[in-house]
Amino acid sequence: MRFEEPVLLYGAGREAISTAAFLKAHQPDLKLYVTVDSGQADIPGTEQIAADDLGMAIRDHRFGLIVKSPGVSRYKPVFDIARHSGIPVTSNLNLWGATYRHGRTVIAITGTKGKSTTATLTHLMLTRSGIDAGLAGNVGVAPLDIADRHPVVIFELSSYQTADMNFLPDIAAVTNLYPEHVDWHGSVERYYADKLHLINRDGSFPVALGAGAKGNALVAHAVRDHRRLLRELTTEELAAIDKVAIGSRLKGSHNVDNARLAAQIALAAGASLEGVVAGIAAFVPLPHRLEEHQFGGTIFVNDSISTTPEATKAALAAYKGFRIALIAGGHEREQDYTELASLLAGYGVTTLACLPVTGARLASAAIAAAPHITVLAEPDLASAMHTLSGYSKQFDAIILSPGAPSYNQFKNFEERGVRFVGLAQAIFG
């Protein structure tokens, strides 16, 4: 692969850095530009183009290709300018496909929630079965960083990546489907279409569906032909999986569903049942997903990765029997909290601390649905934690499961989670 014209990197995060390294390794003399909508664009060996000047730069054909980072919406008007100017737009994932796809078994996993856990479990099951497999995407490494090191590659893919994925997997899986990322996609309908583009393709590759995807009419339509579905697990396989899951570090019934889905995928890719069981036993929870700590006799659950109400419901269900203080709310993505609010009391929530901006809607819905729950409107996470310290007799556990992204007050969900644990130790420890 050789590029005759300069390349623009749109975005400067992990994937953009990976793309820059790949391009320079293959073509050291290639001119690289970089554009960001906000933040720093300090990728070595690149020249910055201001976002306000990008449209003119495209019209002037200062580069012949745009490599878009996942966080940059493909529906931005600037990409219409690129299309009209005849400048193609691609991604780190699609560059991997063009360079390394041939001769490899590709497993692609998506879904609104559970895809990271499912992909991680699938990887563990395959490697514990003696299969040389790599993990890339939103967990593991960026696609181009995994290069050609493994004959089997598992990709955990967001809707940002599946939207324009231009090569076919050998096995695809969808964990579930709920509204999310409306700000990026422009509408819930387009989010669904972009997410399901992974499977709604010409091709005979098999598809596995998680418990939350089965029975979904949109998913069924995207599958096209039920004969593409992977076989169901046998009674013996289910019994072995459920037995080991009970004693593993998988929390909640939703994670047992993820383990079953991962087993379907792994067995189809050549894993043994012994490897599947060993993979579940070896699983370590991903950072910021039901990550448990204890300070001063109180349990603190860092579920900062939760960005949808459905994820928050799963977190609460994992702590059945506890009296819970829930911290929720964050960046606006048109989340609907009505159902979550109606379920809070049943999940054991006694105290609810709501953060800007979506927390205001959750607070209103909770007051209407469960007026006996203590509802606190707090300006930020630190205030919420300090206030909750005065209500400590009302709960056994504090769960940060925001049901919303972090961008209005934090750089990312990782920063939010680290802050939560630090505050828990400082205030309650």
Side-chain angles (χ1 to χ4, degrees):
M1 179 180 296
R2 182 169 178 82
F3 301 92
E4 302 303 326
E5 297 179 86
V7 173
L8 171 75
L9 307 176
Y10 199 149
R14 182 180 70 135
E15 283 208 6
I17 294 169
S18 165
T19 301
F22 166 80
L23 293 173
K24 284 296 187 181
H26 284 74
Q27 198 171 330
D29 60 342
L30 181 65
K31 175 72 174 179
L32 296 180
Y33 293 98
V34 62
T35 290
V36 294
D37 292 323
S38 62
Q40 299 297 312
D42 52 358
I43 300 177
T46 63
E47 179 180 326
Q48 186 169 355
I49 295 176
D52 291 344
D53 299 331
L54 183 55
M56 185 60 69
I58 292 173
R59 294 186 183 94
D60 290 343
H61 287 84
R62 291 180 62 185
F63 34 82
L65 176 70
I66 300 173
V67 183
K68 183 187 73 62
S69 291
V72 179
S73 173
R74 69 192 298 254
Y75 301 107
K76 292 175 71 72
V78 72
F79 294 120
D80 292 330
I81 300 173
R83 184 170 59 254
H84 293 316
S85 300
I87 297 177
V89 179
T90 190
S91 65
N92 187 285
L93 176 66
N94 286 335
L95 285 174
W96 182 92
T99 310
Y100 302 117
R101 171 68 180 92
H102 180 71
R104 279 172 184 77
T105 298
V106 172
I107 299 169
I109 300 170
T110 195
T112 306
K113 286 298 160 190
K115 56 186 177 293
S116 299
T117 298
T118 303
T120 301
L121 282 166
T122 302
H123 179 244
L124 286 168
M125 292 171 180
L126 289 172
T127 55
R128 292 304 190 277
S129 298
I131 295 171
D132 182 4
L135 179 61
N138 292 314
V139 291
V141 299
L144 283 173
D145 288 347
I146 208 165
D148 57 353
R149 296 199 298 269
H150 305 278
V152 178
V153 180
I154 303 141
F155 286 118
E156 187 266 291
L157 302 176
S158 71
S159 57
Y160 303 165
Q161 294 162 305
T162 58
D164 60 355
M165 181 180 176
N166 63 12
F167 60 92
L168 296 179
D170 294 291
I171 300 173
V174 179
T175 58
N176 46 46
L177 189 67
Y178 306 109
E180 195 180 27
H181 302 311
V182 175
D183 54 339
W184 192 100
H185 296 272
S187 69
V188 172
E189 293 73 21
R190 197 150 64 186
Y191 165 73
Y192 289 154
D194 285 343
K195 176 70 79 174
L196 294 175
H197 179 248
L198 175 65
I199 61 172
N200 193 8
R201 321 267 291 274
D202 293 331
S204 58
F205 58 91
V207 176
L209 301 180
K214 293 175 181 177
N216 184 301
L218 292 173
V219 175
H221 182 267
V223 169
R224 300 186 179 186
D225 185 342
H226 73 277
R227 290 172 295 184
R228 295 175 66 196
L229 295 175
L230 288 179
R231 70 165 180 86
E232 295 293 331
L233 297 171
T234 67
T235 302
E236 176 191 4
E237 289 164 346
L238 282 170
I241 291 162
D242 291 353
K243 180 180 179 181
V244 70
I246 291 172
S248 75
R249 296 182 67 181
L250 289 168
K251 274 191 171 291
S253 60
H254 66 290
N255 273 329
V256 176
D257 290 335
N258 291 333
R260 291 175 173 181
L261 176 58
Q264 267 190 294
I265 300 164
L267 290 168
S272 64
L273 183 56
E274 293 75 16
V276 166
V277 168
I280 296 172
F283 177 79
V284 176
L286 299 171
H288 310 289
R289 174 170 286 124
L290 296 180
E291 177 188 296
E292 194 172 294
H293 304 265
Q294 188 162 350
F295 303 109
T298 300
I299 294 172
F300 295 86
V301 182
N302 170 16
D303 194 44
S304 182
I305 201 169
S306 158
T307 58
T308 66
E310 286 73 21
T312 301
K313 287 187 284 185
L316 295 174
Y319 284 84
K320 186 177 180 180
F322 284 75
R323 296 178 306 146
I324 296 169
L326 172 65
I327 302 176
H331 177 66
E332 180 64 78
R333 271 187 180 159
E334 302 180 30
Q335 302 91 333
D336 184 351
Y337 294 110
T338 307
E339 183 184 13
L340 174 61
S342 70
L343 298 172
L344 291 177
Y347 282 131
V349 174
T350 63
T351 314
L352 175 66
C354 296
L355 305 179
V357 289
T358 66
R361 290 205 311 278
L362 177 57
S364 297
I367 290 169
H372 62 284
I373 291 178
T374 300
V375 177
L376 309 168
E378 299 295 328
D380 53 45
L381 183 57
S383 296
M385 293 291 280
H386 280 289
T387 302
L388 285 174
S389 67
Y391 291 83
S392 59
K393 292 183 179 180
Q394 294 187 184
F395 50 78
D396 311 307
I398 297 179
I399 299 179
L400 171 69
S401 189
S406 59
Y407 308 128
N408 60 322
Q409 294 195 336
F410 296 93
K411 180 181 178 182
N412 49 42
F413 71 82
E414 292 95 340
E415 184 180 77
R416 178 170 62 186
V418 169
R419 179 68 169 147
F420 170 70
V421 175
L423 287 166
Q425 185 171 23
I427 298 170
F428 292 82

